[in-house]
Amino acid sequence: MRLQWRPEPADWADAVRTMVPFTRWTPWFAAALGVFSVVLIALGQPLPGVFGAACAVLIFALPGVGARWAFRRNPVAGRTVTAEVVGGRISMMTVDGTAHSEFAVAELAGWAETERNFVLRTAGGGVHPVPGRAFDSTADIDAFRDLLSEALGRPA
């Protein structure tokens, strides 16, 4: 199976949300802080209320902004990637040849599937988001999911 995609900052943000559990809770924490801030303002405490609201906005925005910033700083992040999945091995390379990764599916530390990506986690802590748009058909998506499930079990 051959895959090709151009990485986007949202792919990285999705991978971070999937692999770092705390980032999934930041919107809820920001919302709770925002509610408490509104209550403080309503009780006549505008300074701590405005400070809390500003902190809530920062807490909500930081994971996404951090992922976009890391994406823009990475020299190969926005380059088109090709991948070949053959015999339980995945070989990924940028089209211009500046980056290459190859690994056996069975050696991955884990995987997850989101609405946007398959997130592959390597034993060394690396993460490879493979977006759904990389596949030619839903049959290819199903075959890739089956390959991961057979080699690694259920998604994390």
Side-chain angles (χ1 to χ4, degrees):
M1 169 183 340
R2 291 192 54 81
L3 311 171
Q4 184 171 344
W5 70 94
R6 184 168 182 87
E8 298 175 357
D11 299 335
W12 282 34
D14 188 46
V16 168
R17 251 190 323 277
T18 302
M19 294 299 157
V20 182
F22 177 72
T23 59
R24 290 190 296 252
W25 290 95
T26 57
W28 295 102
F29 182 71
L33 184 56
V35 167
F36 288 128
S37 298
V38 169
V39 169
L40 282 173
I41 292 170
L43 291 174
Q45 298 292 324
L47 190 59
V50 170
F51 178 75
C55 289
V57 168
L58 281 173
I59 290 167
F60 180 79
L62 278 178
V65 170
R68 287 184 187 280
W69 187 49
F71 183 85
R72 293 191 200 299
R73 286 189 4 203
N74 190 311
V76 296
R79 298 188 180 167
T80 301
V81 176
T82 60
E84 191 166 323
V85 182
V86 177
R89 294 197 67 76
I90 300 174
S91 178
M92 297 180 182
M93 183 179 3
T94 56
V95 170
D96 61 5
T98 54
H100 182 265
S101 293
E102 187 169 337
F103 46 86
V105 173
E107 294 173 0
L108 290 171
W111 71 286
E113 184 176 3
T114 68
E115 291 180 19
R116 181 178 193 90
N117 292 314
F118 285 97
V119 181
L120 310 177
R121 191 170 28 126
T122 63
V127 174
H128 298 281
V130 180
R133 67 182 179 280
F135 297 89
D136 290 333
S137 67
T138 55
D140 285 346
I141 292 173
D142 293 339
F144 191 70
R145 183 183 302 113
D146 291 344
L147 172 69
L148 294 171
S149 293
E150 288 172 15
L152 301 169
R154 296 180 50 154

